Amino acid sequence: MKFLRNLPKEKIFGKTCLLRVDLNIAEKEAKNSPRILGILPTIKFLIKNGAKVILLGHRGRPNGFDKKQSLKPFVKILSNLLNKKIYFIDFDKNLNFTNGKDKDRKKNVATASSSIFLLENLRFLRGELKNDLKLAKQLSSFGDFYVNDAFSGSHRANVSVSAITKFLPSYAGFLMEKEIKNLSIIMKNPKKPLTIILGGAKISSKLGLINNFMSKADYFLIGGGIANTFFAAQNLPIGDSINEKSMEKEAGKLFKNNLPIGQAGLSAGRAGNIILPIDVVISKRKILDIGQNTINLYSQIIKKSKTIIWNGPMGYFEDKKFAKGSQGIARAILKSRAFAVVGGGETASLFKLQTADYKLRTNIFISTGGGAMLEYLAGKKLPGIEVLK
Ligand code: ADP
Ligand code: MG
C-alpha cells in the first residue's frame, strides 16, 4: 500500500492534490462527524507542505444536477474547522468550471498555492458511478497526485475512488491508513476471546461478516432487528417488530448449523457461538430493545473478551426509552481493556454520545466505515483500497 505519510516532501510542495473525502453526512452532524474530523489531519498536512488541495466528494444518490444535494454547505463547515478559506468549484455536465464571477477558477487552481478547493458533488456527473475512464482522465488533469481518505466510500468502484488512480500517482491518506491498520489487526490475528456484537436494522448487510468470522469468533452477541430475524426463523412470535423476512431462511440455517448435536431449538438463547437476547423490551407489539438480563449477560461476555467488534445498535435507540441496551453495550466496552472496533454510522455516533471519555481510550477504534467496514471485515477486496496497493 502506498501511503501519503511516506511521500517525500518535494513531491508535495507546489503540487496539486486531488483528495477524496467522505462528505456524505447530514449537515447538522457534520462538524462533529468522525468522517469530517478524521480528514482534517490529512488536509492540514498537505497545506503545511505547500500543496494545493482539491477536495472530491459525493452526497446522496442524485439523478443529475440537484441543488439539494450540493456540497456547497460544506465550504463553511470545513473552513470553520480549518480556519481557512475554501473555494467552491461548480461545474457543468462536461466538468467545465462554471462559478459565475469565479469563472477563472480553473486558472486559480493552477496558480494559488496552499489553497483549498471543494469540487461540487461528483455524482452529478453520470460517469462517476460508472467508473468511467474518460471522466477519470478529465478529473485527473486538475491535479498532480491523488490521495484517498474516504475509507467509508471505498467499497464502490466509482471514478473518484477507483478509475482516477489509473491516471495519477495515488496514496492512502492518514484516515485511510488508520482504518486499514486497525481493521487488519482484527482480520489477521485478533486476541481471543473475540466477540462480535451485531445489531441494527438488517442482517443481510452483515451476513458476509458473520460468515467470515463464523469459525474465528468466540461469541456473536445479537440484538436489534437482526435478533428478530433469528427469532422469526425459529417461529418465535415477533409481533410487528422490524424483520427482514427474506433472510429468515438464511438466519435459520446459520442458527441450526451452530446448534450442538442433539439440541433441537432455542436453548438459553444460543446456538454455538451465536447468542440471542434472553429478554427484550416490547412496546405496541414491537420488540424495540434488548432487556436488562441480556444487557447483563452481554456485559459479562464483553468483560472477558480480548477483541471486540461492534456494529449496529441493540434497539430503536433514537427513542431514549429504547436506548438502554445500546448504552449498556457502550458502557461495557468502555470498561473493558479489550481492543475494540466500533463502526457503522449510527453505532459510532451513539457510542460517542454515550461515552465522552472515549477519546482517552487508545484501545478503542471508531471506524468511519459503515458498509465499507462490513465489507472489509467480510474479507472482500474493496475497489478503492486495491488500487492503492
Ligand atoms: P449502523 O448505521 O450503525 O450500521 P444500521 O444502519 O444497521 O446501523 O441500523 C441502525 C438502525 O436500526 C437504527 O436506526 C435503529 O433505530 C434501528 N433498530 C435497531 N434495532 C431496532 C428495533 N428493535 N426496532 C426498530 N429499529 C431498530
Ligand atoms: Mg445505518
Side-chain angles (χ1 to χ4, degrees), residues 199-202 205-206 223-225 228 242 287-289 311-318 343-348 370 374:
K202 291 181 171 174
S205 61
K206 327 223 161 165
N228 299 340
I242 59 158
I287 301 171
L288 292 172
D289 199 4
N311 177 275
M314 294 289 103
Y316 178 54
F317 74 95
E318 287 91 342
E346 268 93 8
T347 316
L374 289 170

Side-chain angles (χ1 to χ4, degrees), residues 165-185:
T165 63
K166 290 204 192 322
F167 302 97
L168 290 174
S170 303
Y171 308 91
F174 297 141
L175 179 58
M176 176 71 95
E177 181 180 346
K178 210 160 87 179
E179 292 280 357
I180 291 172
K181 289 203 165 141
N182 279 289
L183 294 181
S184 56
I185 295 175

Side-chain angles (χ1 to χ4, degrees), residues 13 30 39 48 72 81-82 84 87 111 118 131 134-135 159 172 179 236 254 292 302 311 320 325 352 354 362:
F13 187 82
I39 59 175
K48 201 182 96 201
K72 202 157 190 185
L81 286 166
L82 290 161
K84 197 165 161 56
Y87 301 88
T111 54
L118 171 60
N131 210 20
K134 204 175 132 221
L135 175 62
V159 163
E179 292 280 357
L236 291 165
L254 270 177
Q292 190 57 51
I302 290 168
N311 177 275
K320 246 194 176 144
K352 294 190 131 177
Q354 271 320 299
T362 50

Side-chain angles (χ1 to χ4, degrees), residues 120-288:
E120 179 58 291
N121 189 348
L122 279 166
R123 285 201 184 167
F124 288 178
L125 302 170
R126 300 218 176 279
E128 165 68 357
L129 282 178
K130 293 184 186 145
N131 210 20
D132 179 69
L133 283 177
K134 204 175 132 221
L135 175 62
K137 191 169 180 192
Q138 207 184 351
L139 192 61
S140 71
S141 70
F142 304 148
D144 301 301
F145 65 104
Y146 166 83
V147 171
N148 186 348
D149 224 8
F151 171 76
S152 44
S154 292
H155 55 317
R156 306 228 162 80
N158 297 343
V159 163
S160 60
V161 301
S162 172
I164 189 161
T165 63
K166 290 204 192 322
F167 302 97
L168 290 174
S170 303
Y171 308 91
F174 297 141
L175 179 58
M176 176 71 95
E177 181 180 346
K178 210 160 87 179
E179 292 280 357
I180 291 172
K181 289 203 165 141
N182 279 289
L183 294 181
S184 56
I185 295 175
I186 301 255
M187 291 297 277
K188 285 187 191 133
N189 47 8
K191 281 200 188 134
K192 308 267 269 170
L194 165 63
T195 296
I196 301 180
I197 308 154
L198 291 177
K202 291 181 171 174
I203 187 170
S204 51
S205 61
K206 327 223 161 165
L207 209 58
L209 183 152
I210 297 178
N211 285 324
N212 195 33
F213 280 95
M214 190 46 97
S215 59
K216 283 181 257 174
D218 297 278
Y219 304 97
F220 288 98
L221 307 181
I222 309 292
I226 297 186
N228 299 340
T229 307
F230 276 108
F231 288 145
Q234 297 171 81
N235 294 319
L236 291 165
I238 58 164
D240 301 330
S241 309
I242 59 158
N243 173 34
E244 219 175 347
K245 193 129 191 63
S246 61
M247 294 305 296
E248 281 178 19
K249 224 171 158 182
E250 191 70 37
K253 245 194 289 174
L254 270 177
F255 199 77
K256 216 165 168 184
N257 290 344
N258 252 14
L259 280 173
I261 294 162
Q263 189 183 314
L266 198 67
S267 156
R270 73 181 285 175
N273 55 3
I274 302 180
I275 316 225
L276 300 184
I278 48 174
D279 60 343
V280 291
V281 178
I282 298 171
S283 170
K284 295 187 183 137
R285 287 181 48 79
K286 286 184 180 139
I287 301 171
L288 292 172

Side-chain angles (χ1 to χ4, degrees), residues 46-114:
L46 287 164
I47 292 302
K48 201 182 96 201
N49 286 291
K52 289 159 244 171
V53 177
I54 303 180
L55 299 167
L56 312 177
H58 82 273
R59 218 179 156 190
R61 291 198 152 263
N63 187 11
F65 285 75
D66 178 359
K67 277 273 167 289
K68 284 199 291 285
Q69 315 241 40
S70 171
L71 284 179
K72 202 157 190 185
F74 288 88
V75 165
K76 199 165 161 207
I77 293 163
L78 281 165
S79 63
N80 283 341
L81 286 166
L82 290 161
N83 201 10
K84 197 165 161 56
K85 186 167 167 64
I86 291 179
Y87 301 88
F88 190 68
I89 305 177
D90 239 331
F91 50 72
D92 65 14
K93 67 181 190 338
N94 298 315
L95 199 55
N96 294 313
F97 298 168
T98 56
N99 300 47
K101 67 176 173 17
D102 294 325
K103 262 218 172 101
D104 284 340
R105 187 64 21 99
K106 207 166 190 171
K107 214 159 65 195
N108 291 347
V109 173
T111 54
S113 84
S114 288

